């Protein structure tokens, strides 16, 4: 494999000031909101007091700016050359943490060196992005070969496993967001579709698991109908044969119609078994088509159907036997199956109340009562968005939301305009991480996504995470600065 | 290039997904903040106050249903600093019966985040704990004068008998490590710290409930949230019935006063512990209430260490009480038969009369050897076993077989009694001796003293009593336990599982005969209770390098269909027959007859008045 080299690198480009502007805006807004979230009426500290959270955050911001400046000064080739070194050092650090870290809040992810507490998992993000970029940058790299897929997925999964061992499941999920990079670089959309479909089946199965529908539960019943529709859609997408699509839908509909008619003669009909019958008939039809036309696609679609069904049947087992009770509870609360005010639901309930009570314009800076009365957990770290929602209302939170989306779309443009594969892949890595953090953090605060403890980049309090995101972003800006202009 | 462009289009897909998710989130924000006034209502005037409802801790009964431990209400003074206004501090102090200096120190403690990490300006904080009923009444009357002061109900342990403090254990505020280990606990919760209270904590504590109340922005309670539908009632702890007979226990403690040691009585048929005396002990009521700290310090400073439950955590060389195990194992392994005779000339001849023995007929077989506690016989047997090269390939091999039998008989590992801090005692393996002698070439004669329960062998009084139970049962035992029943749940299956020792019943019969002879014609004639009951027993005199020998007794009664097995250890009590045997005699009389006959009253008085305490040098004798 020949290294593509630095032919397309220009040394005298300009830094993308728009991104830097977004960055500065976000850290300053974050700093003010941390001050508001940890504000204590009784012994109010000033914004700059180092004994308060806001003062400390200012320190982190200051050091981050120095770090950013330094990162922009380093030669761009450095990042490419040493990307694997960074990655391996990161892996080593994760290992070390696993060995020496003491348990803090149930996870073993903090490395304590004197007065400094670091979370190596936060710094792992940019090293994975660099390593992936380097892997893709080899000459003639094609993702969809067996060896390459294996290489790429082990680059991602190794840190995932280490971080799961540290009991930081949230951060491990963040690393999985690199799937988006793979999608951009040629992973078939079908894989992502399968992923989405499994999430959908999972939700259906858990959410409606206790409503019986004859032989099946209501969730399974809906899922089976969806599987039939999906397979018809797949026949259309891959083979473009209208007649066969219609036949599939017709066969399924015929069975349901027949059952419906029979039920008129006061014969009890088990709708679960009817759905299974329709499912089997469609499967048999696909098998027939395969033997008739000898096209692999039919077999794949058939496999998709059977696989989906097996997945559906195993969800319940995995959910109840593999997941921890508190994890089950969080998922159930997020799906609205259970109202648990004393546990997981309490946090989400309180954070919804805090945001909801903000109204249109909010209660004003430092006037939020919900966060002040300490109803909201982790109010200056993972739940910082509550303070924004409560004190600045819909206007404030919507503006932040829109700014953040604008930031991400801007980064997406930057990533796509890169002239080297290295730059593009790294850029997409950055974008994926920000998308995941935004979607999960705000989603959990407003009660759409289960509670997964990950910070809102640049807003949440914390030195490790701020440094981690700063490094991630500014390496990208450095790479972008040297791209070849057309 | 075509392929490249197709992939470049995926940027649009990603952008579209981001925008769609963004719109969904904005919709949800709009829904929460503009369309749902209920959130505004909750927050503007109300918010949740989750008040913990404490369950009452389970009561504890003895085997005859006598109430031993129950709960009494006490009251904590809570303070919400934010709601405090100027009030008459002097009046407040007078009501609580404290002076101003104490008031200020309590106040400072409460606000000090190092001592009280959960301190908050807004939520109720513990100011002073454990008011009694009168103080509570006074304060309740004047509460309207003191804004920001609240009273929280709690319960405190209360004891009907001044006995068995070491078995019951005590309850105190939970410490940091426990809070970190078990999310059930929060600061200020009470938790079992030793004894039954610790080992059965999860049965006794019950389950906390919660009351979700609504309160306004100033923290005042406005009512129940959702009509109390989200409340959870506390579940009371399970009541425990112990297998201990409190009368027997109290009598045992009386006998053991001013002595150091232990009495353990077990019901062989079930493994239930009838009494477990560890001396010195303490009155459980000392470790409750306000004087907990000072009492605890005193007990801790006591040189005779009354906070150690010697029945499970004291380890002693079992001495001659260990000999039955040797006889049983030699018989089972075929080293001797019930008729094998060895000669004894006041000592073990091959080693020049060491270990020494006392005057009795010779040569003698196992039954008589047990009756007279002949040291030579068991030394011969031990040497015969370890030196047997037709049966075992090496001394180590033979010794490991020996050790496995000891472990099967309940020695060398904790038995698993439901009391904390049980020790395992010590049964060495061959590796241990190879390390000590720095060679594998050691032989039985190097370690001959372990054949007579001396040397490296250590056992807890509970293990010795358990040996009595296995002999009484002729070859099996149940894990000894003190909890007999827990209300609403069955007993743990580990306590109903039968453990076999792997030795034939016929050999046990020989041993029983020997132990019966010991009582009628042998070393422990002092416990001959015929015609009341046929006792079988074995004395022990354990050499103690630190002072006078320990006096031991192990036995059971009646001979057929035994009801109890017993072990008695009196530290520095010299011969087994001088202290341990009379104490066992009195305990058996108490158990079988219910009282001490007139003819033995003198013995009872004599035992109770004996003081057998070694001199203990302490540098800092506590002032009180």
């Amino acid at each position: 494999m020949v290294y593509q080299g630095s032919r397309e690198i220009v040394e005298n480009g300009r830094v993308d000031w728009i991104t830097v502007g977004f960055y500065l805006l976000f850290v300053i807004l974050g700093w003010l909101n941390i001050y508001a979230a940890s504000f204590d009426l009784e012994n109010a500290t000033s914004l700059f007091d180092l004994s308060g959270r806001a003062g400390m955050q200012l320190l982190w911001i200051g050091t981050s700016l120095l770090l950013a400046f330094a990162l922009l000064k380093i030669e761009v080739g450095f990042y490419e050359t040493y990307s694997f070194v960074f990655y391996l050092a990161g892996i080593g650090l994760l290992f070390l943490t696993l060995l020496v870290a003491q348990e803090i809040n149930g996870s073993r992810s903090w490395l304590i060196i004197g007065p400094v507490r670091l979370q190596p998992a936060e710094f792992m993000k940019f090293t994975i992005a660099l390593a992936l970029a380097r892997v893709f940058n080899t000459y003639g790299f094609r993702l969809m070969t067996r060896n390459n897929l294996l290489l790429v997925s082990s680059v991602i999964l190794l840190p995932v496993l280490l971080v799961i061992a540290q009991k930081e499941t949230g951060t491990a999920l963040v690393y999985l967001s690199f799937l988006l990079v793979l999608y951009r670089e040629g992973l078939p959309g079908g894989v992502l579709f399968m992923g989405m479909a499994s999430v959908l089946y999972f939700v259906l199965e858990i959410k409606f698991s206790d409503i019986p529908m004859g032989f099946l539960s209501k969730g399974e019943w809906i899922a089976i109908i969806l599987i039939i529709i999906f397979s018809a859609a797949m026949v259309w997408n891959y083979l473009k044969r209208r007649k066969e699509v219609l036949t599939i839908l017709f066969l399924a509909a015929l069975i349901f119609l027949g059952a419906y008619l029979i039920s008129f003669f006061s014969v009890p009909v088990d709708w679960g078994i009817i759905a299974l019958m329709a499912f089997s008939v469609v499967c048999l039809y696909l098998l027939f088509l395969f033997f008739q036309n000898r096209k692999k696609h039919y077999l794949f679609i058939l496999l998709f159907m059977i696989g989906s069904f097996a997945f559906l049947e195993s969800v319940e087992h995995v959910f109840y036997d593999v997941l921890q009770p508190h994890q089950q509870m969080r998922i159930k609360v997020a799906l609205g199956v259970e109202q648990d005010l004393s546990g997981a639901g309490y946090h989400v309930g309180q954070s919804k109340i805090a945001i909801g009570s903000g109204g249109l314009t909010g209660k004003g800076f430092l006037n939020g009562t919900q966060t002040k009365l300490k109803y909201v957990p982790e109010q200056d770290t993972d739940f910082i968005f509550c303070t924004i929602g409560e004190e600045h209302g819909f206007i404030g939170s919507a503006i932040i939301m829109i700014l953040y989306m604008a930031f991400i779309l801007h980064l997406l443009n930057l990533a796509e305009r890169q002239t080297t594969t290295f730059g593009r892949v790294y850029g997409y890595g950055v974008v994926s991480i920000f998308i995941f953090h935004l979607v999960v953090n705000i989603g959990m605060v407003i009660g759409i996504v289960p509670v997964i403890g990950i910070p809102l980049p640049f807003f949440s309090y914390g030195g490790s995470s701020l440094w981690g995101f700063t490094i991630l972003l500014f390496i990208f800006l450095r790479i972008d600065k040297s791209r070849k202009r057309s | 290039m075509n392929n490249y462009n197709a992939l470049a289009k995926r940027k649009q897909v990603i952008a579209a997904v981001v925008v769609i998710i963004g719109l969904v989130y904005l919709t949800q924000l709009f829904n929460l903040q503009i369309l749902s006034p209920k959130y505004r209502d909750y927050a503007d005037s109300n918010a949740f106050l989750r008040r913990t409802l404490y369950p009452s801790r389970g009561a504890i009964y003895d085997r005859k249903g006598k109430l031993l431990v129950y709960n009494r209400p006490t009251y904590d003074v809570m303070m919400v600093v934010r709601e405090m206004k100027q009030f008459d501090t002097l009046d407040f102090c007078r009501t609580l019966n404290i002076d101003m200096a104490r008031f200020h120190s309590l106040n400072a403690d409460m606000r000090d985040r190092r001592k009280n990490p959960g301190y908050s300006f807004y939520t109720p904080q513990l100011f002073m704990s454990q008011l009694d009923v009168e103080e509570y009444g006074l304060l309740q009357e004047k509460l309207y004068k003191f804004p920001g002061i609240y009273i929280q109900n709690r319960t405190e342990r209360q004891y009907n008998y001044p006995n068995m403090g070491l078995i019951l254990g005590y309850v105190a505020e939970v410490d940091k490590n426990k809070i970190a280990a078990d999310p059930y606990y929060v600061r200020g919760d009470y938790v079992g710290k030793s004894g039954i209270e610790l080992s059965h904590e999860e049965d006794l504590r019950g389950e906390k409930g919660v009351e979700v109340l609504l309160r306004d922005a100033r923290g005042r309670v406005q009512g129940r949230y959702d009509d109390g539908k989200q409340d959870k009632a506390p579940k009371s702890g399970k009541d425990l019935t112990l297998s201990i007979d409190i009368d027997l226990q109290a009598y045992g403690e009386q006998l053991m006063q001013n002595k150091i040691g232990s009495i353990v009585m077990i019901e062989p048929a079930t493994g239930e512990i009838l009494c477990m005396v560890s001396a010195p002990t303490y009155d459980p009521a000392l470790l409750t209430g306000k004087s907990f700290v000072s009492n605890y310090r005193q007990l801790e400073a006591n040189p005779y260490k009354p906070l150690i439950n010697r029945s499970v955590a004291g380890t002693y060389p079992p001495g001659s009480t260990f000999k039955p195990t040797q006889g049983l194992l030699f018989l089972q392994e075929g080293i001797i038969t019930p008729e094998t005779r060895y000669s004894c000339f006041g000592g073990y001849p091959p080693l020049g009369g060491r270990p020494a023995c006392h005057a009795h007929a010779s040569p003698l077989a196992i039954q008589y050897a047990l009756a007279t506690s002949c040291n030579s016989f068991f030394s011969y047997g031990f040497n015969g076993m370890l030196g047997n090269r037709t049966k075992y390939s090496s001394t180590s091999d033979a010794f490991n077989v020996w050790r496995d039998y000891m472990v099967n008989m309940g020695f060398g590992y904790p038995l698993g009694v439901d009391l904390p801090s049980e020790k395992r005692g010590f049964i060495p393996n061959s590796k241990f001796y190879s390390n000590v002698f720095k060679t594998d070439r050691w032989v039985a004669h190097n370690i001959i003293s372990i054949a007579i329960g001396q040397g490296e062998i250590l056992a807890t009084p509970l293990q010795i009593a358990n040996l009595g139970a296995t002999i009484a049962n002729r070859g099996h035992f149940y894990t000894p336990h003190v909890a007999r029943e827990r209300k609403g749940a069955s007993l743990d299956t580990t306590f109903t599982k039968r453990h076999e020792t792997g030795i034939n019943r016929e050999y046990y019969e020989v041993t029983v005969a020997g132990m019966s002879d010991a009582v009628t014609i042998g070393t422990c004639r002092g416990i001959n209770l015929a015609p009341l009951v046929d006792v079988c027993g074995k004395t022990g005199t354990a050499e103690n390098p630190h002072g006078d020998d320990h006096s031991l007794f192990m036995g059971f009664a009646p001979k057929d269909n035994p009801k109890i097995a017993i072990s008695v250890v009196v530290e520095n009590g010299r011969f087994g027959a001088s202290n341990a045997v009379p104490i066992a005699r009195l305990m058996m009389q108490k158990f079988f007859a219910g009282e001490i006959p007139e003819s033995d009253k003198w013995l009872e008085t004599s035992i109770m008045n004996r003081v057998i305490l070694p001199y203990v040098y302490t540098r800092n004798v506590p002032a009180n």
Side-chain angles (χ1 to χ4, degrees), chain A residues 237-424:
Chain A
N237 186 38
Y238 292 114
L239 298 145
K240 308 274 183 229
R241 297 206 190 185
R242 181 181 304 220
K243 207 183 103 200
E244 286 165 5
V245 175
L246 287 178
T247 315
I248 288 174
L249 294 177
F250 175 72
L251 280 173
L254 194 68
I255 289 168
F256 280 102
L257 200 67
Y260 185 65
L261 286 177
I262 289 172
S263 71
F264 269 114
F265 300 101
S266 60
V267 181
V269 172
D270 185 324
W271 288 104
I273 290 183
I274 298 299
L276 284 180
M277 273 170 65
F279 179 83
S280 322
V281 165
V282 173
C283 284
L284 288 174
Y285 178 63
L286 281 171
L287 201 63
F288 163 75
L289 285 176
F290 170 68
F291 283 117
Q292 191 190 34
N293 299 320
R294 294 280 159 190
K295 280 201 167 172
K296 270 191 296 186
H297 294 87
Y298 293 114
L299 205 59
F300 282 128
I301 296 169
L302 182 62
L303 273 179
F304 163 80
M305 287 185 74
I306 293 169
S308 299
F309 186 70
F311 177 81
L312 200 61
E313 290 305 313
S314 58
V315 160
E316 208 158 352
H317 160 72
V318 171
F319 186 76
Y320 288 102
D321 298 342
V322 179
L323 291 182
Q324 302 285 325
H326 72 271
Q327 290 167 330
Q328 293 175 12
M329 193 46 104
R330 283 177 181 181
I331 292 172
K332 280 187 169 177
V333 168
L335 296 179
V337 182
E338 206 131 338
Q339 287 282 338
D340 173 29
L341 278 170
S342 55
Y346 176 71
H347 294 335
V348 176
Q350 290 300 347
S351 102
K352 276 159 91 175
I353 289 174
I355 292 179
S357 69
L360 181 65
T361 55
K363 298 174 186 168
F365 187 55
L366 299 185
N367 285 333
T369 52
Q370 296 300 292
T371 45
K372 297 290 161 314
L373 279 169
K374 308 209 187 298
Y375 284 119
V376 181
E378 305 286 334
Q379 48 200 332
D380 47 10
T381 55
D382 298 346
F383 281 79
I384 187 79
F385 196 72
C386 285
T387 310
I388 299 171
E390 188 184 11
E391 297 192 344
H392 307 290
F394 178 69
I395 294 180
S397 45
I399 287 177
I400 299 282
M401 206 38 232
I402 290 167
L403 277 176
Y404 227 111
M405 277 160 57
F407 172 66
I408 285 174
L409 294 177
H410 178 67
L411 283 183
L412 199 57
N413 276 331
L414 289 195
E416 193 57 54
R417 82 178 179 189
Q418 295 306 306
T419 43
T420 60
T421 312
F422 182 82
R424 189 179 66 241

